[in-house]
Amino acid sequence: MTRLKWFQPNRWTKLSIDVNTHAAGAAFFPDSVRGVRAMVRLPVGLMAFGLSTLPMAALACPPAQKVSTMPLDPASVSGRFTALLERDKDADPDGSAKLWSALIDDAKSDTSTSPEILARSYGWLAWAMGSTADAGRAAETARTGENIVVAKGLIDAPWNAELLSLVSMTDTTAGAFDMAERNGMAALALAQRNFGSESAEVGLANFALGFVANARGQFVEAEHFGDVASTLFAKCLPANDSFIVDAISSHAAGLDAVGRAEEALTENERAANWALSNLPENNTGTTFALSNLAVSLRNAGRLSEAEAVLRRVLDRQQLYEPTNWFSRATQLSNFATTINSQGRHEEAEALWLRAREWHLKAYDKSDPITLAYPLRFAADAAEARGDLKLALARRSAAIAAIEKDTPAGHPQRALARLEYAATLGRMHLKSNSAAAALGMATPQMAILRAKLVPDSVRRLGAEIAYAKIVARASGTTQGYALAAPQAALLEAKLLDTSTARGDLVRYGPVLSSTFATVADLAFASGHQSEGFRALQLANLSDIVLVNSDLAVRLAAASPASATMARALQDHIRERQLLDSQRSYAVTAKQEGETARIAAAIAANDVATAALTETLDRDFPQIRALGRPTPVSLAAYSASLGDSDILVAPLPVDDGTLAITVTRVGLTWKKTPFNRAQIAALTARVRRSVADMATTSATSAAFDTAAANSLLHAIVPDIGVASFKRHPHMLYYASGALATIPPALLVERSANRATRLANVAWLVRTHDTTILPTLASLTTSVPRTARAERFLGVGAPLLGNVQIASSRGLPFRSGAVDMAALRNLPSLPGARAELDRMQTILGSKDSLTLIGANATETMLTSMQLDQYTIIAFATHGLMSGDFAGLREPALVLTPPDHPTSENDGMLTSSKIAALHLNADWVILSACNSADGSGSAGPAYSGLAAAFVQAGARSLLVSHWPVRDDAAAQLTVATVQNTQAGATRAVALQHAMLSLLSDRKVPHSAHPAIWAPFVLIGR
């Protein structure tokens, strides 16, 4: 028994069969977006409802009935029973189980022991056993207590409500769902009859019913039971009772299960704060509250925060519940998935395998799906490395684990077998396995089509994965024919403004890999226009995910749009509930109920469409920002200049689609670098950059081999004259390929003896503009003729110059505690950098906000839309760098008395609310091109916020920039534009100049000359 871990808001989204997308994985889409779960369980510190040492008069609910005779002798059976009820059972389940066992032995030999004490002791012994190595005997133990009740004719005794609830939960854990529901309903009726509707006993019965409802996949009902239980526990129990915390956590997970992710995060934060404030340090309720909070953070895309919380969870479990193997395994798997999403794949794979070992030590028949997830994720990892044989072995073991305790026809059985078939199909080049894979996959799809509604993301992802299997066995034409209609439905979900933000978080990585599969099939079958559209949709998942937040803020700025947005959100939630209900009705073959729900969905969809149409018509900028529509291949090609070339690489499971577009048209080729290999190469390049900041060597090395391989992966015909004839490169990529500047890629391989100053960097032959979306060239905001006006902001008043690297030069970097904001190193080059820019631009209307004037108050009080060029020279912070910092920020001068509106940090949400009309914004701060946190979508942090605020193009950095290098690069770029160069060429020449400047320490290393990229619009 695993302590009513009945909700798992984790939802580590496993939807796509494309195994190299490890934010998604190969397990498709577990029930109701379920994945390797975070444990949410029923706590044990309820103190027997009225036997608490705290005065019942302090509670808002009526007192519970106590045992009729309760001697005060602490050595007696009755006295020991009372003491055990008041014991914090969360703190030491093994110790509690031993004490309950000893009490039962003595009670059986004491003829004066009442049946109530003996029966309830069996119930609490079963409860304690649920978190020990004896969990397999918990249901039998609880049943022994209930047998005593029946034998003594005490079925209607008020205290039996408690025992029936405990029996119900052990039944659920043992997989006896019908019996669990009967006992839960009996407990509820008995509790209401004897204690009233507002009582802790009724709360416990609702908790038990929520447990079984969740196990059956009835998430709407489970959320309702969780809501009732958490309300009653908070009202009827002392604040230090761990039942309150766990009830709030389970309700939070219920909210998540029905699509109310934002409410779930708030509820999880409440549970964690309650636990930390009221529970003892060793109480496992705190651990579970923290684990659920980590899951909500993960689902919100706040990976660095989720990782930090999960580390605390793992440490607490090792210390306070070392034998609770199921829970420890689940949390370890969650942690592995989190760090895998941040690119630490090898570490994650090792942890999944360890989680599997821990699962084998556990006993829990209520959730065989969860037991198999570490194996399925580890299979993904093996397949990503190209070890298909090992991946098949792990998938086979996962299937065996699932099918042992899962009924035939269960969607997860079918999904696991479909994953196996997909891996088998990839081996077709080595053996005649494609036909065998198709033969295995076809009956599994029949199950999924019968069990899953046609427009669910889980079903659509499986359909496209099946199309890929068909393509390998029967040809790409047939495969694409199957995938195309499913892709159209997925596109509608991605671009629909009514799709919830929480769903976008979960679906984003999955949609990316799924559309990449569609693009692969389209190009291979000769459908170039459709492939070009799928390419944009694969990359748009990142942009939509980020910009949806900005669109929400934009909508909130207007009362009219805010009202419509709220109404739209209500309809979205209603649709999510109806979808869940329809899924269960279809599974249960309830035709009448299915028809009723379908009618309700149709009516809700009509209302949603009407609201969406009105919002799009009256506030088109919200739609354009939140859901940018893909541009056609013909329109895009026609928009290019004679010297322009679009380079748009798209990694897939068995290679990379190297796509280029010129005015002449589109060409493509699949190169032999799959997602995992691309990620490994980019990681090597990034490590070379990081080494430059940490090593004390006279001349740091750079991995030119990795940089050369990457260029040949994305532009395979590098030596062909057509590429050379197009020196203006437009770069369109997402994922790992968007984490490095293309300028540092290497055209010709270099040996160890080659000096970095002599390497054939791509910057020597091509200038580069980064494109977040392809619509940027065809739908750019018109620029009106006006005089250049410059605004420079930075050089905030901070601490003394400190050594941020072993080379003795300050880097513009974050990663410090919030309390140390004022102690961040000052940037002596920032003031000179901004002053030089102002001098170069030469406008009398230019202005700089430096030092004491570089404050939020000064900045937000100005008419910023008058400035054509705005430059920031300061520190850049990422989400999680400071405690409580949940979004990227630029550091300004902290005020003496900070407020939320003026705290010295210009966050991305504050930036998005600014009103700019700038031709370009220069962010001379570290990590300004990176995402909202670790592994966030590229360009989704500060850069996206400035675009939303009104910047047409941006100069941003990919890593911490050395102060002297930042000043030289930005000033030279501005100077070059004043001389007539385009922004991209201006940056190219500035980089080349710095690269060859021997007066600057280590100037030839890309860490120094290549951090900046130009993001165009």
Side-chain angles (χ1 to χ4, degrees):
M1 173 182 170
T2 51
R3 298 299 175 83
L4 194 53
K5 308 171 180 72
W6 55 264
F7 264 129
Q8 309 126 59
N10 178 336
R11 320 273 180 245
W12 306 121
T13 309
K14 286 180 69 67
L15 172 113
S16 169
I17 197 76
D18 200 335
V19 298
N20 290 308
T21 305
H22 238 297
F28 298 97
F29 210 103
D31 298 325
S32 281
V33 201
R34 301 178 71 199
V36 180
R37 66 180 187 173
M39 311 299 289
V40 184
R41 49 99 206 190
L42 181 69
V44 292
L46 193 53
M47 301 181 183
F49 319 112
L51 294 177
S52 169
T53 56
L54 297 182
M56 290 301 299
L59 304 180
C61 304
Q65 179 170 319
K66 300 178 176 61
V67 176
S68 55
T69 59
M70 193 66 67
L72 298 178
D73 181 4
S76 67
V77 169
S78 296
R80 290 160 60 195
F81 176 77
T82 302
L84 279 176
L85 288 174
E86 295 175 352
R87 175 186 171 90
D88 184 353
K89 303 177 185 66
D90 277 0
D92 181 15
D94 284 299
S96 292
K98 291 178 181 178
L99 291 172
W100 282 113
S101 293
L103 177 64
I104 289 172
D105 290 341
D106 292 343
K108 289 192 293 186
S109 62
D110 185 346
T111 57
S112 66
T113 301
S114 70
E116 173 188 351
I117 289 178
L118 188 58
R120 291 173 69 186
S121 294
Y122 273 110
W124 286 112
L125 171 60
W127 178 255
M129 291 168 64
S131 290
T132 70
D134 291 327
R137 299 192 297 110
E140 176 187 354
T141 300
R143 185 68 53 203
T144 301
E146 191 58 27
N147 288 340
I148 294 172
V149 172
V150 174
K152 297 297 184 180
L154 298 172
I155 294 176
D156 293 327
W159 51 263
N160 192 35
E162 168 198 280
L163 181 58
L164 283 169
S165 295
L166 296 174
V167 171
S168 172
M169 287 182 281
T170 60
D171 288 338
T172 299
T173 303
F177 300 148
D178 290 342
M179 187 177 295
E181 184 176 11
R182 286 196 297 271
N183 283 321
M185 293 302 296
L188 180 61
L190 191 59
Q192 289 175 330
R193 186 164 62 247
N194 288 281
F195 303 104
S197 297
E198 291 193 354
S199 61
E201 291 82 357
V202 170
L204 183 62
N206 273 277
F207 224 121
L209 289 168
F211 191 9
V212 68
N214 176 77
R216 283 178 159 169
Q218 299 169 343
F219 300 117
V220 174
E221 292 83 352
E223 186 277 324
H224 166 73
F225 288 128
D227 187 15
V228 173
S230 63
T231 300
L232 291 177
F233 285 168
K235 185 176 183 180
C236 298
L237 296 174
N240 65 349
D241 198 306
S242 61
F243 266 42
I244 298 172
V245 172
D246 294 305
I248 297 171
S249 291
S250 286
H251 180 231
L255 291 168
D256 183 88
V258 295
R260 294 155 65 181
E262 291 81 5
E263 294 173 73
L265 177 56
T266 300
E267 194 80 336
N268 274 322
E269 289 175 334
R270 176 185 170 217
N273 287 329
W274 192 303
L276 293 169
S277 300
N278 295 291
L279 301 186
E281 167 60 25
N282 63 347
N283 191 291
T284 57
T286 303
T287 304
F288 282 104
L290 290 170
S291 70
N292 290 336
L293 175 59
V295 169
S296 280
L297 291 169
R298 167 65 177 85
N299 287 345
R302 291 154 58 179
L303 300 181
S304 58
E305 293 175 81
E307 178 186 350
V309 175
L310 281 171
R311 285 187 183 278
R312 187 170 182 180
V313 167
L314 293 172
D315 289 343
R316 289 180 58 87
Q317 287 186 317
Q318 183 175 2
L319 185 61
Y320 300 126
E321 44 183 335
T323 62
N324 190 352
W325 294 113
F326 186 95
S327 179
R328 291 187 66 189
T330 301
Q331 298 308 329
L332 185 62
S333 185
N334 288 351
F335 181 80
T337 305
T338 300
I339 63 173
N340 185 76
S341 297
Q342 300 177 67
R344 290 143 62 186
H345 307 306
E346 294 181 4
E347 183 183 355
E349 182 178 359
L351 293 178
W352 280 318
L353 294 176
R354 186 186 303 174
R356 172 59 178 167
E357 294 174 0
W358 289 0
H359 268 311
L360 292 176
K361 297 181 180 181
Y363 174 90
D364 192 327
K365 290 184 178 180
S366 69
D367 195 355
I369 307 302
T370 294
L371 272 66
Y373 273 124
L375 272 176
R376 295 165 79 179
F377 282 121
D380 294 349
E383 187 160 353
R385 293 196 319 272
D387 193 341
L388 301 182
K389 184 176 180 180
L390 178 59
L392 280 178
R394 290 174 177 174
R395 297 205 189 285
S396 181
I399 290 171
I402 292 172
E403 294 186 350
K404 181 179 180 181
D405 294 302
T406 304
H410 192 287
Q412 285 300 321
R413 289 179 64 143
L415 289 170
R417 286 188 169 273
L418 194 59
E419 294 164 15
Y420 185 97
T423 304
L424 182 64
R426 286 194 61 191
M427 302 178 70
H428 71 285
L429 295 178
K430 301 178 181 179
S431 64
N432 188 23
S433 59
L438 180 59
M440 175 181 291
T442 299
Q444 309 313 316
M445 277 309 305
I447 294 173
L448 294 174
R449 287 165 179 162
K451 296 289 186 180
L452 306 179
V453 294
D455 62 346
S456 71
V457 176
R458 183 166 47 132
R459 164 79 174 270
L460 294 173
E463 291 279 8
I464 291 176
Y466 177 66
K468 188 64 178 287
I469 296 173
V470 170
R472 286 177 171 140
S474 305
T476 55
T477 299
Q478 187 173 345
Y480 178 71
L482 288 174
Q486 313 302 327
L489 292 173
L490 274 178
E491 178 181 345
K493 286 185 175 292
L494 177 63
L495 299 182
D496 188 352
T497 53
S498 67
T499 301
R501 196 273 182 190
D503 287 342
L504 289 174
V505 172
R506 296 175 186 137
Y507 301 162
V510 173
L511 293 174
S512 179
S513 65
T514 301
F515 282 120
T517 298
V518 174
D520 191 8
L521 292 173
F523 283 123
S525 59
H527 295 83
Q528 285 196 351
S529 295
E530 291 80 1
F532 188 70
R533 187 176 187 87
L535 159 71
Q536 295 175 72
L537 294 169
N539 288 338
L540 271 179
S541 61
D542 274 357
I543 302 300
V544 167
L545 173 61
V546 175
N547 284 5
S548 63
D549 280 345
L550 301 179
V552 168
R553 298 187 188 106
L554 185 62
S558 162
S561 61
T563 299
M564 279 189 284
R566 283 193 296 269
L568 186 61
Q569 188 65 27
D570 290 340
H571 283 289
I572 293 167
R573 288 173 177 166
E574 177 66 18
R575 174 60 188 266
Q576 290 170 327
L577 292 175
L578 290 170
D579 281 343
S580 297
Q581 293 170 353
R582 180 175 59 174
S583 296
Y584 308 139
V586 170
T587 301
K589 298 182 179 180
Q590 299 172 346
E591 296 181 1
E593 182 68 2
T594 300
R596 183 194 68 79
I597 296 171
I601 288 175
N604 186 75
D605 286 350
V606 170
T608 300
L611 274 171
T612 301
E613 182 180 358
T614 302
L615 194 63
D616 289 350
R617 182 188 66 242
D618 296 347
F619 303 94
Q621 69 274 33
I622 296 176
R623 171 60 183 244
L625 176 65
R627 303 293 192 274
T629 304
V631 62
S632 71
L633 174 58
Y636 188 80
S637 179
S639 73
L640 296 175
D642 292 336
S643 299
D644 295 335
I645 183 168
L646 173 72
V647 175
L650 184 62
V652 292
D653 61 350
D654 56 354
T656 291
L657 303 179
I659 303 162
T660 60
V661 181
T662 65
R663 286 187 65 85
V664 176
L666 180 147
T667 61
W668 76 279
K669 179 179 180 180
K670 183 181 287 188
T671 60
F673 298 89
N674 63 28
R675 281 195 191 91
Q677 292 167 322
I678 291 292
L681 288 170
T682 56
R684 285 168 55 184
V685 171
R686 296 280 298 193
R687 278 196 298 271
S688 291
V689 171
D691 289 345
M692 177 63 189
T694 58
T695 183
S696 59
T698 303
S699 180
F702 183 81
D703 196 338
T704 56
N708 177 249
S709 295
L710 279 173
L711 187 55
H712 283 278
I714 66 176
V715 186
D717 300 322
I718 190 65
V720 176
S722 62
F723 185 74
K724 297 290 186 181
R725 287 197 306 267
H726 297 87
H728 304 314
M729 186 170 78
L730 306 171
Y731 188 65
Y732 179 59
S734 64
L737 286 172
T739 64
I740 58 173
L744 57 65
L745 299 181
V746 176
E747 294 191 41
R748 296 186 300 276
S749 59
N751 57 42
R752 291 179 178 272
T754 304
R755 296 176 60 247
L756 291 179
N758 298 328
V759 169
W761 307 109
L762 184 62
V763 70
R764 299 188 188 280
T765 59
H766 287 74
D767 63 79
T768 305
T769 300
I770 306 297
L771 302 180
T773 75
L774 296 188
S776 58
L777 283 186
T778 55
T779 60
S780 59
V781 177
R783 177 186 177 186
T784 57
R786 54 185 177 147
E788 298 281 13
R789 294 190 66 184
F790 171 77
L791 173 64
V793 184
L797 292 181
L798 300 169
N800 295 325
V801 176
Q802 301 173 6
I803 301 304
S805 81
S806 60
R807 296 179 182 274
L809 294 169
F811 279 69
R812 299 183 184 181
S813 182
V816 293
D817 188 81
M818 186 60 156
L821 177 61
R822 285 185 173 83
N823 292 325
L824 278 170
S826 295
L827 300 167
R831 178 186 294 267
E833 177 182 348
L834 294 173
D835 286 342
R836 286 188 64 192
M837 285 188 198
Q838 185 179 27
T839 299
I840 292 168
L841 290 169
S843 170
K844 63 179 182 180
D845 295 322
S846 294
L847 177 67
T848 56
L849 299 179
I850 293 174
N853 291 324
T855 65
E856 286 186 75
T857 301
M858 287 288 291
L859 183 67
T860 56
S861 66
M862 299 173 59
Q863 285 187 280
L864 297 176
D865 58 357
Q866 297 180 4
Y867 295 93
T868 58
I869 301 177
I870 302 175
F872 289 84
T874 183
H875 291 284
L877 300 176
M878 300 296 292
S879 172
D881 280 348
F882 287 174
L885 181 61
R886 296 178 177 178
E887 53 184 328
L890 295 173
V891 175
L892 299 180
T893 297
D896 293 333
H897 304 288
T899 65
S900 59
E901 292 78 21
N902 182 24
D903 57 4
M905 290 191 296
L906 189 65
T907 61
S908 59
S909 59
K910 295 176 183 178
I911 293 167
L914 299 176
H915 296 285
L916 309 180
N917 188 21
D919 292 331
W920 65 334
V921 170
I922 300 170
L923 301 183
S924 185
C926 80
N927 302 323
S928 50
D930 285 351
S932 301
S934 297
Y939 320 122
S940 69
L942 299 170
F946 275 106
V947 169
Q948 195 275 326
R952 292 180 178 81
S953 60
L954 302 103
L955 186 67
V956 295
S957 59
H958 269 294
W959 52 72
V961 188
R962 208 172 69 188
D963 200 24
D964 61 334
Q968 184 163 333
L969 282 168
T970 55
V971 170
T973 300
V974 172
Q975 199 165 22
N976 293 336
T977 58
Q978 291 301 108
T982 64
R983 296 187 187 96
V985 171
L987 176 60
Q988 177 192 25
H989 290 172
M991 289 190 287
L992 289 172
S993 177
L994 179 58
L995 192 161
S996 60
D997 190 344
R998 296 187 179 183
K999 296 178 182 179
V1000 178
H1002 316 289
S1003 63
H1005 197 289
I1008 304 302
W1009 62 261
F1012 286 101
V1013 293
L1014 178 70
I1015 299 178
R1017 179 181 173 184

